[in-house]
Every structure is written in structure tokens, then in C-alpha cells.
Amino acid sequence: MTRRSVIQAAAAGAAGMIPGLQSAVYAAGSDKPEKEEVRIGFIPLTDCASVVMASVLGFDKKYGIKIIPTKEASWAGVRDKLVNGELDMAHVLWGLIYGVQMGVSGPKKDMAILMNLNHNGQAITLSKKLADKGAVDGASLAKLMAAEKREYTFAQTFPTGTHAMWLYYWLASVGVNPMKDAKVITVPPPQMVANMRVGNMDGYCVGEPWGHRAIIDGIGITATTTQDIWKDHPEKALGTTGDFAKKYPNTCRAVIMAILEASRWIDAGLQNKMKMAETVADKAYVNTSVDAINQRILGRYQNGLGKTWDDPNHMKFFNDGVVNFPYLSDGMWFLTQHKRWGLLKDHPDYLAVAKQVNQTELYKQAASALKVNLPKSDMRSSKLVDGVVWEGKDPAKYADGFKVKV
């Protein structure tokens, strides 16, 4: 089709009848991906599922691309390969992308978030030894730390990442300053369980299945889930460099559309979730037993101490499109926490940075072509575990307003 006939057809309201037409319109006559093979890095975690399933189920082919999922060993490795171009994109921590953007988690480089991949589904695990002494949640942990003075070690997965921020926020909400009252170390997700088994840490925050795995192996208990810290929090993003997003917009849209379809497929029902669990448990992806994955993705939780519950706010990949929009306020939140904990020395221009990183226009174009719901605003409001509301207004005041900070 020529550009002119595309525009005429669109004007005639034919967009719904010709596959890919809407995308053809916004790409000025051609929506052909500029780069057809896309290497997407992932870490062995349940929430890599939408990237993996987009490839396994062939949603990528539908949009003229081939997604090549590449398994990575650590978030630092993901960062390095994204920055040097060995990876085109990655299943990645929001805070890693923002950390690189600001130059506080490695080399400074312009980065881009194309979409959010999942909400919820991470957990804070405490060792069985701590649980035996009565530390089974935030309040009882703080009490034990005050009574039995020693060095307490907690692990997160990357210094500016989501797990570090959930861990710090949770500890601070019970009066423990993670920077003064504890030792915090960085451990790659798949190595968490082995490190706790040999006594290297008292607790850790990581994505599934490594919270549930600690319970199966009898070495730890779930003290809290991250959805209890912030319901429907942003978790992993589809990240790339600013240069890649500028150079290959059609490729970016194609990948967003393939992953949106995979996300919708996963969340469509029980059977799909079970098939997803079987697929990603494989050695090529997460390399664990299916039972370590398939319970918590259905919201069936146990804490390792005999308590079981059904959690409606379990890990979600689509949730009728609610999950995937890259809210500016979500990006800004990570910057406020980086400032709170001394990773950023000065207040950045929070909104300007988020507008530069989050590719909301690319996302809106891809989502609209698939008729996926879009929010009314680029900002959203949330109340976190300490009762403080975050809505993206006056981020500097918010960042400075916490009692426990650096």
C-alpha cells in the first residue's frame, strides 16, 4: 500500500479491517521493523515470562520480528550488555534503567523504558534462624534487631533496583535504617537461596520463584510480599537505550505489541498460567521445579510457618492493560528513593527525566493498534505500606519528607 492509500483508507475508517494498518499510518507509510532480530536479555525469574512466551508462542513473528531471549547471570551483566549494545533490549529493573540514566549505577547513558512487564510478585524472605527467634514480619524483626545487637545482613539484587527499594522501604517503615542499622549486599537472583542456605544473609528481597523456593527448601519464610508494600507496584520493565528507541521505533513498537499479546495470553486463564509455569521452569529459562512457580502466579501463598492465603494482588502481566503502561510517576518514584537513600546527591528534574526515559508515545501507539486500554493520565496515585501517598506531585518534598533516610 502506498502512504497515500493508507491515509485514505484510515480516513475512511477502515483501520480495523486491514491488519497492521494503524501502525502503518503512524509510521508514515511503513511499519516494517528496521531490525528484525531482537536480542532480549532476561534474568531467571518468573516475571521474564511475557518475553519468553512472546518468543515461544510465536507472537513475535506476527509483527515481523524474531525475539531471541538470552539468559543472563546478573543485573550488572544485563546493564553492561545493554549499554554496550550486545543486547538490544532486556527484561530489566526499573531502578537499573533510571540508575544508568542518572549515572549512579554504572556508566551514564540515555536509557528508555518501552513498557512495564508486571505488577507485584516479589517477596522479602527472612532466614529460618530469625523466624525461630520470633522475627516473622517487619515489627518482630525490628524488635529482635533492637534486642540482639549484631550485624544483620540483607541482600538485594542491584543497588538502584526494585528489590533494593522494596527492602529499604519496608525496613524503614518499621524504623530500621537500612544504611545504618544493617549491612546490605548485592546477590544475583538465582543465587539467593544458595547464599541463605550457607548463612550469608539474614534476609533478602527478590522476585519469584526465589521466595517460594526458600520455603520449599525449608531455609526461609516469607515476611512480606511486595504487593503488601505497594499494591500493583511497577516491577520489571522492557528496557533499552535511548539510541535504540530513536533509531528503531518500528522495531520497538513490534516488540511491545508481541509482548502485550503474550501478557494478555498469560493472564487469560488458569490453563495458560500453568503452561507458562511449565515453560519458564525449564533449564533454558528459570531452571527450577514447576511447583516453585505455579502456586504464587495463581495467588496461592504460604509463608513457611503454616499460614496460607489467597492473594488477589499476585503477579500480573496484563490485567486488562492496567499493568503495561509506563507511568511517568512510577519512574519518578524510583528517583525519589534514590535521593532518599543518598544514591542521588541532589534533586533531579524528576518529571523531565521521566519524560525522557519512559517512551509513553511509542507505547500508546502499540497499545492503540491492539485496542489495549490506556489510562487517562501519565501519572497515578498509590498509598504505600507506611500510609504515605505517592502521586507524582512535588517529588522533592516527597523525597525529603521521610523520617528514615540518609
Side-chain angles (χ1 to χ4, degrees):
M1 290 176 82
T2 65
R3 184 179 176 198
R4 193 169 167 189
S5 61
V6 165
I7 291 165
Q8 283 169 339
M17 289 145 30
I18 304 171
L21 179 64
Q22 280 170 312
S23 43
V25 176
Y26 60 64
S30 169
D31 61 347
K32 184 174 161 50
E34 306 88 350
K35 189 178 194 321
E36 290 170 12
E37 277 201 357
V38 190
R39 292 176 64 80
I40 306 185
F42 71 92
I43 290 282
L45 289 161
T46 304
D47 53 29
C48 74
S50 55
V51 171
V52 169
M53 298 314 287
S55 164
V56 170
L57 298 172
F59 289 124
D60 51 354
K61 291 188 193 75
K62 203 168 153 181
Y63 299 103
I65 50 166
K66 182 178 172 60
I67 288 174
I68 302 167
T70 80
K71 186 173 177 174
E72 303 300 331
S74 70
W75 290 120
V78 168
R79 172 201 61 201
D80 295 345
K81 289 182 182 183
L82 266 182
V83 166
N84 71 23
E86 282 178 69
L87 291 173
D88 298 315
M89 299 179 184
H91 148 260
V92 70
L93 305 159
W94 273 77
L96 183 152
I97 294 289
Y98 271 81
V100 174
Q101 179 73 26
M102 302 305 292
V104 295
S105 63
K108 184 172 167 50
K109 190 173 175 80
D110 282 347
M111 300 300 283
I113 282 177
L114 301 175
M115 67 189 291
N116 189 54
L117 293 177
N118 67 296
H119 280 163
N120 311 325
Q122 325 293 296
I124 293 177
T125 299
L126 295 179
S127 72
K128 215 55 199 265
K129 283 179 191 156
L130 282 192
D132 290 344
K133 291 186 170 185
V136 296
D137 58 17
S140 51
L141 173 67
K143 198 172 158 188
L144 179 69
M145 288 175 74
E148 286 192 25
K149 298 283 188 199
R150 65 170 175 85
E151 186 174 71
Y152 288 81
T153 302
F154 298 97
Q156 38 74 14
T157 64
F158 190 80
T160 60
T162 51
H163 303 115
M165 298 308 120
W166 311 141
L167 177 67
Y168 299 169
Y169 203 99
W170 179 72
L171 288 170
S173 74
V174 293
V176 174
N177 188 322
M179 302 300 159
K180 292 181 190 155
D181 307 332
K183 180 184 175 189
V184 179
I185 59 173
T186 302
V187 174
Q191 294 172 29
M192 285 291 189
V193 175
N195 272 279
M196 182 170 272
R197 189 179 286 114
V198 297
N200 285 350
M201 80 265 279
D202 295 290
Y204 62 72
C205 182
V206 72
E208 293 301 341
W210 308 119
H212 190 55
R213 186 81 247 173
I215 291 170
I216 293 175
D217 294 358
I219 60 162
I221 62 117
T222 294
T224 191
T225 64
T226 52
Q227 52 265 33
D228 282 341
I229 297 169
W230 177 357
K231 183 189 158 199
D232 292 342
H233 63 78
E235 184 45 49
K236 302 305 184 301
L238 180 64
T240 185
T241 61
D243 291 343
F244 190 94
K246 281 193 191 83
K247 195 172 171 187
Y248 305 114
N250 295 348
T251 301
C252 289
R253 274 187 291 262
V255 175
I256 294 169
M257 288 163 84
I259 291 177
L260 273 174
E261 289 228 39
S263 305
R264 179 156 57 192
W265 180 88
I266 293 167
D267 276 10
L270 184 71
Q271 241 177 332
N272 292 7
K273 285 184 177 144
M274 297 309 240
K275 173 142 196 298
M276 175 272 273
E278 279 169 34
T279 305
V280 302
D282 190 76
K283 201 156 73 237
Y285 304 114
V286 179
N287 191 21
T288 191
S289 57
V290 178
D291 65 338
I293 295 177
N294 65 12
Q295 295 304 296
R296 289 192 171 184
I297 56 159
L298 301 172
R300 294 175 191 154
Y301 276 78
Q302 49 171 300
N303 69 348
L305 295 163
K307 182 187 168 194
T308 60
W309 70 99
D310 285 326
D311 191 337
N313 305 312
H314 55 80
M315 187 183 291
K316 297 194 175 126
F317 292 90
F318 186 66
N319 194 15
D320 206 15
V322 171
V323 170
N324 309 105
F325 186 77
Y327 286 97
L328 298 179
S329 52
D330 287 359
M332 291 160 67
W333 185 86
F334 287 102
L335 293 174
T336 68
Q337 299 307 298
H338 294 169
K339 176 68 177 74
R340 176 185 184 182
W341 301 119
L343 295 158
L344 286 171
K345 299 292 169 261
D346 303 302
H347 288 292
D349 185 336
Y350 293 91
L351 184 58
V353 176
K355 280 181 170 171
Q356 189 181 344
V357 174
N358 294 17
Q359 306 297 305
T360 53
E361 280 316 302
L362 276 178
Y363 178 82
K364 284 174 185 173
Q365 290 159 356
S368 299
L370 289 178
K371 298 187 168 48
V372 169
N373 291 332
L374 287 165
K376 290 185 174 66
S377 168
D378 291 355
M379 301 281 198
R380 62 178 181 142
S381 174
S382 311
K383 186 193 269 194
L384 276 68
V385 67
D386 53 3
V388 180
V389 173
W390 164 247
E391 53 194 359
K393 290 176 187 159
D394 208 343
K397 186 181 172 191
Y398 175 84
D400 289 340
F402 292 100
K403 278 197 205 74
V404 181
K405 59 185 176 192
V406 161

